[in-house]
Amino acid sequence: MPPRHLITFADLSSAEFRALIRRAIELKHLKGLYEPLKNKVLGMLFEKSSTRTRISFEAGMAQFGGSAIFLSPRDTQLGRGEPIEDSARVISRMVDGIMLRTHTHRTVEIFAKHSRVPVINGLTDRFHPCQLLADIQTYFEHRGDIAGRTVAWIGDGNNMCQSYIEAAELLDFKLSIACPEGYEPESALLEKAGARVELLRDPADAVRGADLIVTDVWASMGQEEEQATRESAFRGYQVNANLMALAAKDALFMHCLPAHRGEEVSAEVLEGPQSVVWDEAENRLHSQKALLEFLLAEESPVRAASLSS
Ligand code: CP
Ligand code: NVA
C-alpha cells in the first residue's frame, strides 16, 4: 500500500481533520513520557527559511522519542542537480517520514510520488496545511467548533489563503476573502469551494460580523523583489483597530508569523487582546505531533477512529 501523505487537505477526510485537532489538544495536555516514535527519524528538507516549522517538527520528534535531520539543498546533492525523483527514492529508504518546504508545490508532489514513506508539506508556493492545523486547533481552544463560523482573510491570495479555502470545505466554515485585483487565489480552488468562499475587494465587507480575522505578509518568501509594488497594491488592506471594530465582538485575530507590524497588521492588533498569535505559533508543535503520530506511529487514535467510522 502506498504511504499516506499530507500534501494538501485533499489528503485528509473531514473526520480525520477533526480527530487530529482533538488529538492535538489531548497531546498538549498529556503529562509524562509518551514515545510513540521511538527510534524513528524524520528527514526535513528546507529550500526556504523557517523558525516555527523547523523547531516544531524537530522538538515534536524529540519529545516522541525519535529524531529529525535538517537538510538543505545547499549541503545535499539536490542543490547540485540530483533529480528529486532519485533523492526521494534514496532518502525514503533511510528515514520514516519526510517534511519538505519547497519553492514550487510540484517538487513536493514529485517527491511524494517516489517516496516509500509519508511526506508532509511544510509550505510550498501554493499551500501551508500544517499552519492550518495549528490555526484550527487554536480556534477550537478559544471558541469551540469552527463549523458555521465566518473567517475573514485579508490580503494576499497566497499559500495560507489557499489552505484556508481547502479547510473551509472540510470543516464547514464560511470564508470571506478580501484581496486587491491581481492577487486572488487560484480560480480553480474558488470554483471547487463554491458558495462557502466569497471573493471581495473591500476588507470592511469581508470583516463585518466575522468570527476570525486572518492575514499574512504582503510579500511571501521568494517575492522579496516585489515588496515595493506589493506595498502599494495592498495599501488599505492593513488589519488595524478600525477594521477589527467591524468584526464580531468576540472575534479572534490570527497570523501565521513572521508578521510585519505597520504593514499587513498594526502593532496594536497583533499585541492586542483579540490576538491569539502566540498560542497559534505554539500549536504548530502540538498539532504536528498529532500529525506525526497519525502518519508515522504504529498506533494512532486518529487512525483508529477513522477506521471505525
Ligand atoms: N508560520 C511559519 O510557517 O513559520 P516559519 O516560516 O518560521 O516556519
Ligand atoms: N505566505 C508566507 C507564509 C510564511 C510562513 C510565505 O510563504 O512566505
Side-chain angles (χ1 to χ4, degrees), residues 13-55:
S13 71
S14 218
E16 285 167 342
F17 198 145
R18 288 174 168 281
L20 278 173
I21 300 304
R22 279 196 301 273
R23 184 63 179 154
I25 296 170
E26 253 170 45
L27 287 170
K28 187 171 179 171
H29 299 287
L30 198 69
K31 299 268 179 283
L33 203 64
Y34 174 59
E35 297 189 322
L37 299 183
K38 197 153 183 60
N39 298 324
K40 300 234 183 203
V41 179
L42 179 75
M44 308 189 299
L45 180 70
F46 283 93
E47 290 182 356
K48 300 179 186 178
S49 309
S50 169
T51 296
R52 281 144 287 267
T53 306
R54 176 178 177 180
I55 297 169

Side-chain angles (χ1 to χ4, degrees), residues 133-186:
L133 293 178
D135 286 23
I136 302 299
Q137 178 188 345
T138 310
Y139 192 88
F140 270 66
E141 286 175 342
H142 284 266
R143 295 286 183 267
D145 203 319
I146 200 164
R149 302 295 190 149
T150 300
V151 178
W153 175 270
I154 309 301
D156 195 12
N158 63 10
N159 42 13
M160 276 298 298
C161 176
Q162 300 203 144
S163 282
Y164 261 97
I165 295 175
E166 288 199 323
E169 198 176 339
L170 279 183
L171 295 174
D172 197 22
F173 60 84
K174 190 177 166 228
L175 179 65
S176 299
I177 301 168
C179 64
E181 229 176 297
Y183 296 94
E184 297 85 0
E186 293 165 22

Side-chain angles (χ1 to χ4, degrees), residues 185-196:
E186 293 165 22
S187 51
L189 290 173
L190 290 172
E191 275 157 36
K192 185 169 178 287
R196 192 186 306 284

Side-chain angles (χ1 to χ4, degrees), residues 13-135:
S13 71
S14 218
E16 285 167 342
F17 198 145
R18 288 174 168 281
L20 278 173
I21 300 304
R22 279 196 301 273
R23 184 63 179 154
I25 296 170
E26 253 170 45
L27 287 170
K28 187 171 179 171
H29 299 287
L30 198 69
K31 299 268 179 283
L33 203 64
Y34 174 59
E35 297 189 322
L37 299 183
K38 197 153 183 60
N39 298 324
K40 300 234 183 203
V41 179
L42 179 75
M44 308 189 299
L45 180 70
F46 283 93
E47 290 182 356
K48 300 179 186 178
S49 309
S50 169
T51 296
R52 281 144 287 267
T53 306
R54 176 178 177 180
I55 297 169
S56 52
F57 271 111
E58 204 163 322
M61 284 302 295
Q63 290 169 13
F64 270 175
S67 59
I69 305 176
F70 175 80
L71 303 160
S72 96
R74 270 185 304 283
D75 39 44
T76 58
Q77 298 289 4
L78 267 163
R80 295 182 58 249
E82 183 166 14
I84 303 160
E85 294 85 340
D86 296 1
S87 305
R89 280 182 268 216
V90 172
I91 298 171
S92 72
R93 283 174 183 237
M94 298 175 181
V95 300
D96 303 283
I98 300 164
M99 194 264 2
L100 293 98
R101 167 168 287 196
T102 62
H103 291 286
T104 69
H105 188 72
R106 189 81 196 112
T107 303
V108 176
E109 289 176 336
I110 296 170
F111 203 103
K113 193 167 163 221
H114 294 89
S115 173
R116 280 186 172 185
V117 298
V119 168
I120 299 170
N121 175 357
L123 180 145
T124 66
D125 55 342
R126 294 184 62 209
F127 297 101
H128 196 4
C130 290
Q131 182 67 53
L132 258 287
L133 293 178
D135 286 23

Side-chain angles (χ1 to χ4, degrees), residues 210-225:
D211 303 292
L212 168 63
I213 318 304
V214 197
T215 191
D216 187 11
V217 290
W218 290 340
S220 283
M221 287 182 277
Q223 298 172 335
E224 288 79 5
E225 74 292 352

